Amino acid sequence: MLESLTISNVGIISEASIELDPGLTVLTGETGAGKSMILQSIGLLMGNRGSTELILAGADLARVDCEAKFNSTACARVLELVKESGGECEEILGSGEHSLLLSREISQSGRGKIFLGGRQVPAIVLKDVSENLIALHGQSDQVLLRDPSKQLELLDRAGAGLVVSTKTAYQVALRAYRSLCKEYDQLRIGESDQRSRIFTLEQGIGEISELKLVTDEDIEITQKISVMRNVDDLSNTVGRARELLAGSADFAQGSLSESVLDQLAEILKSLEHACELDPELETHRARVVSASAEMADLDSELGQYVTGLGADPLELSQLETRISELSGVKKKYGPSLTDVINWHAQALVELESLQNRDSRMSELEGEIEEALAVMSKEAEALSKARAQTAKKLKASIESELSALAMPYAQVAIELDSLADPDSWTRSGKDQIMFMLAAHEGAKFLPLSKSASGGELSRVMLAIEVALAGEDPVPTMIFDEVDAGIGGAVAVEVGRRLAALAEHTQVIVVTHLPQVAAFADRHLVVEKKAQAKSVQTTVARVQGEERVREITRMLSGLPDSEHGGAHALELLDLAAR
């Protein structure tokens, strides 16, 4: 509910501070006193367009502040929105309620600021929050009558437990269906690309598997080919090394110097003689012996190497073919043979995943079909629950309208179902339209097209009274709900507003004393002319002051004796 409203420089209101209570609050006053400015101020807090024309002449800035109190369980969405925007709600300890400050500024520059819980927010956030806190029913604010989704919410409120349980079951089924569809769509996205990828993987895996690769075999084969291509050079150079090492038959002719082995033999002879003179040289002699043996082994191994050298043309051709194959796969999957082997291993894993995806898609098709059947069943159950509720709500609204000077008004609540499950929403497959035939013989038309402004307000009052107690918004505001009525009908309007106020805070702008008499809090809006300006004040009236205001509303004469008696009679009627 709204606890306080502070208005600065809006319209003809320079400063006004209004304290509000639970129950029924009425705003009265002469025409042009500023009652509409109060409603426009509340409209600004509901996200309505802010125009510089609303700024008081001579002022730079118009501002509206409001403190709202709400139940954190019933209005959990408000808490969520405030937290998302970075604002703060003050918790009222021990009450289960929170307090929230909403503010709106309009400057002459055309730039405005909106604050929610102390944090500046976009207008759309303010609108979302206020729609959960305030319902404004006026000739130009019939949101519920223009928005089919809001009308559906009204119907669901009327259905209470029956609709809530079936709606919950439907929403569970909807989530399951959409989750499966989302998974299927994700798998299907780029399906042609996946087919191409599978083909690429299969081709690569087959090509690499056929080669039966061995790590670093390309290095070994390259080395072997190099040897086979250079047999003559190797034979000559290794042969020359052997000649230097062990000598050859040409030594006798003096073509070569003495070989390494011959020189080692001479060294050994010298050291053997030296050892006879000094035994400590034995270690050095032994090393020469070891070196001679090592060189002899080396000569033998080099001889074997030269003997084994060969260049079989067939083998060389096979090796060159193999190295060409390895080079080909390295270009595709490399750059190294190790990279190719790793690609092969990873490709096997990816291919299995893609093949499993195909299998999962087949499974999903069956699961989606089953989930659709369940969702369709729950959606149909929800539609039936709404159809039952619509009959009862129609009768209740028509009964209320009859007492509100619309005795021939007929209401039709048309429900239509969307055939395509993909167009269904969390609210179900139903589309709704409240229709009204306001007078005898009138055609049924959508509510917003079939009634005058005052009638629309009465229709909303009838709907809200019919739904009283069914989770209403914390604050309902009615503007000109009494347009075009009077007498006993006006008394009935006041009585119904008071009944509605037992369940939620109700604020009414009225010109009817019969309505004002039912108020729990009576506020008078008064305009006072000053030297160079006009000042509007909002004051609570009680006791004699209230009797005087209702007398004014009855007769136009605040001090009329007969009017005063009538005012007291009305107040007594309302009290009873």
Side-chain angles (χ1 to χ4, degrees):
M1 58 166 275
L2 305 185
E3 294 217 300
S4 65
L5 181 68
T6 302
I7 304 170
S8 302
N9 301 327
V10 177
I12 60 173
I13 303 176
S14 59
E15 291 290 338
S17 183
I18 305 171
E19 299 296 324
L20 298 165
D21 290 328
L24 175 59
T25 297
V26 297
L27 290 168
T28 66
E30 296 284 0
T31 300
K35 299 186 296 297
S36 62
M37 287 297 103
I38 294 175
L39 291 183
Q40 287 197 51
S41 297
I42 294 175
L44 290 174
L45 293 174
M46 296 186 68
N48 292 350
R49 181 178 175 273
S51 169
T52 56
E53 296 177 358
L54 291 174
I55 302 175
L56 179 70
D60 295 324
L61 185 75
R63 183 180 174 103
V64 183
D65 296 284
C66 174
E67 184 178 0
K69 185 171 67 175
F70 60 94
N71 184 283
S72 52
T73 301
C75 297
R77 178 59 177 160
V78 173
L79 267 182
E80 180 183 341
L81 288 168
V82 173
K83 288 181 179 179
E84 287 177 357
S85 66
E88 294 184 0
C89 291
E90 180 183 352
E91 184 177 3
I92 303 173
L93 297 178
S95 67
E97 295 185 325
H98 283 73
S99 178
L100 173 65
L101 184 63
L102 301 91
S103 303
R104 179 85 179 264
E105 291 182 356
I106 305 172
S107 68
Q108 289 287 6
S109 66
R111 295 181 179 179
K113 293 181 180 180
I114 297 171
F115 299 92
L116 192 63
R119 185 67 175 265
Q120 189 169 347
V121 299
I124 187 63
V125 176
L126 178 68
K127 185 176 180 65
D128 288 344
V129 168
S130 61
E131 282 186 354
N132 286 274
L133 296 175
I134 306 168
L136 178 58
H137 302 307
Q139 293 193 36
S140 60
D141 296 286
Q142 302 297 340
V143 177
L144 294 176
L145 304 183
R146 295 195 302 266
D147 189 343
S149 66
K150 297 295 183 182
Q151 293 183 12
L152 193 60
E153 289 178 12
L154 284 176
L155 181 61
D156 288 353
R157 273 177 57 195
L162 174 63
V163 171
V164 169
S165 59
T166 53
K167 191 174 183 178
T168 299
Y170 161 76
Q171 289 175 344
V172 170
L174 175 68
R175 281 195 298 271
Y177 171 74
R178 285 185 171 174
S179 176
L180 292 170
C181 289
K182 182 179 180 181
E183 183 181 354
Y184 184 83
D185 289 341
Q186 288 175 338
L187 293 177
R188 192 176 59 183
I189 289 173
E191 190 172 0
S192 60
D193 292 338
Q194 292 172 10
R195 291 277 160 254
S196 175
R197 181 59 177 168
I198 288 174
F199 176 79
T200 299
L201 291 172
E202 288 177 337
Q203 289 290 102
I205 290 170
E207 185 178 2
I208 295 171
S209 297
E210 187 177 349
L211 291 176
K212 298 179 181 178
L213 301 178
V214 178
T215 303
D216 294 335
E217 69 168 306
D218 55 332
I219 298 174
E220 296 176 3
I221 292 174
T222 300
Q223 178 63 29
K224 194 169 184 178
I225 290 175
S226 176
V227 170
M228 295 181 73
R229 286 176 177 172
N230 295 281
V231 167
D232 292 339
D233 284 348
L234 285 170
S235 180
N236 291 334
T237 54
V238 174
R240 173 62 177 161
R242 289 193 66 209
E243 289 176 356
L244 293 171
L245 181 64
S248 68
D250 295 335
F251 282 162
Q253 302 173 6
S255 61
L256 286 176
S257 61
E258 194 174 8
S259 70
V260 171
L261 286 176
D262 289 338
Q263 293 181 43
L264 286 173
E266 290 296 326
I267 294 170
L268 184 59
K269 288 178 182 180
S270 298
L271 287 177
E272 285 176 348
H273 176 68
C275 285
E276 292 176 359
L277 300 174
D278 185 358
E280 289 185 5
L281 292 172
E282 178 60 30
T283 302
H284 299 297
R285 188 196 70 80
R287 291 175 64 186
V288 174
V289 171
S290 176
S292 298
E294 181 67 22
M295 293 300 101
D297 289 343
L298 177 59
D299 176 60
S300 175
E301 290 174 4
L302 288 176
Q304 293 175 4
Y305 173 81
V306 172
T307 302
L309 283 174
D312 182 355
L314 178 59
E315 182 183 5
L316 179 59
S317 175
Q318 291 173 341
L319 289 174
E320 288 176 336
T321 299
R322 178 66 172 176
I323 202 69
S324 176
E325 293 172 342
L326 297 182
S327 297
V329 294
K330 284 196 293 183
K331 286 181 180 178
K332 292 181 181 179
Y333 315 105
S336 70
L337 201 59
T338 299
D339 293 326
V340 175
I341 293 171
N342 290 338
W343 186 94
H344 180 265
Q346 293 169 3
L348 288 171
V349 174
E350 184 180 352
L351 180 61
E352 182 181 6
S353 174
L354 291 174
Q355 290 172 338
N356 288 340
R357 181 177 299 181
D358 287 344
S359 174
R360 177 57 181 155
M361 287 184 70
S362 298
E363 292 176 2
L364 281 172
E365 289 173 355
E367 292 177 14
I368 288 172
E369 186 176 350
E370 293 177 6
L372 177 59
V374 173
M375 183 179 71
S376 299
K377 179 181 176 182
E378 298 297 346
E380 184 60 28
L382 179 57
S383 295
K384 289 181 179 179
R386 283 172 170 160
Q388 295 175 16
T389 300
K391 291 180 181 179
K392 296 178 181 179
L393 182 59
K394 162 188 161 63
S396 297
I397 295 172
E398 288 178 345
S399 176
E400 292 295 330
L401 288 175
S402 179
L404 294 173
M406 297 178 69
Y408 300 108
Q410 290 183 294
V411 174
I413 302 176
E414 295 186 353
L415 282 169
D416 191 20
S417 296
L418 297 170
D420 183 7
D422 290 335
S423 63
W424 297 357
T425 68
R426 282 180 51 80
S427 296
K429 65 177 182 177
D430 302 312
Q431 291 183 313
I432 189 173
M433 180 65 71
F434 277 58
M435 308 289 285
L436 176 69
H439 310 287
E440 189 174 14
K443 294 181 179 180
F444 277 102
L445 294 171
L447 278 179
S448 58
K449 297 181 179 180
S450 60
S452 65
E455 287 174 333
L456 286 178
S457 291
R458 272 178 277 163
V459 169
M460 285 313 308
L461 175 59
I463 292 173
E464 294 293 2
V465 172
L467 295 176
E470 301 295 347
D471 190 27
V473 293
T475 299
M476 292 185 185
I477 301 173
F478 290 90
D479 179 25
E480 298 200 32
V481 68
D482 50 19
I485 62 172
V489 175
V491 173
E492 290 302 318
V493 170
R495 181 175 284 117
R496 278 157 175 76
L497 287 168
L500 182 59
E502 293 178 4
H503 304 281
T504 187
Q505 182 186 48
V506 178
I507 300 172
V508 181
V509 175
T510 183
H511 292 282
L512 291 181
Q514 295 95 327
V515 173
F518 282 88
D520 299 301
R521 186 181 185 92
H522 190 154
L523 302 176
V524 176
V525 182
E526 188 175 5
K527 180 174 64 175
K528 295 181 179 180
Q530 297 180 340
K532 295 183 179 180
S533 64
V534 175
Q535 183 178 8
T536 294
T537 61
V538 182
R540 182 179 183 180
V541 293
Q542 303 179 79
E544 290 299 325
E545 290 183 346
R546 187 180 184 198
V547 174
R548 194 168 185 272
E549 172 63 11
I550 292 179
T551 302
R552 181 199 65 77
M553 297 173 72
L554 283 165
S555 64
L557 302 172
D559 299 317
S560 168
E561 182 178 347
H562 294 293
H566 191 184
L568 289 171
E569 185 179 7
L570 279 177
L571 289 168
D572 181 61
L573 171 66
R576 287 187 282 111

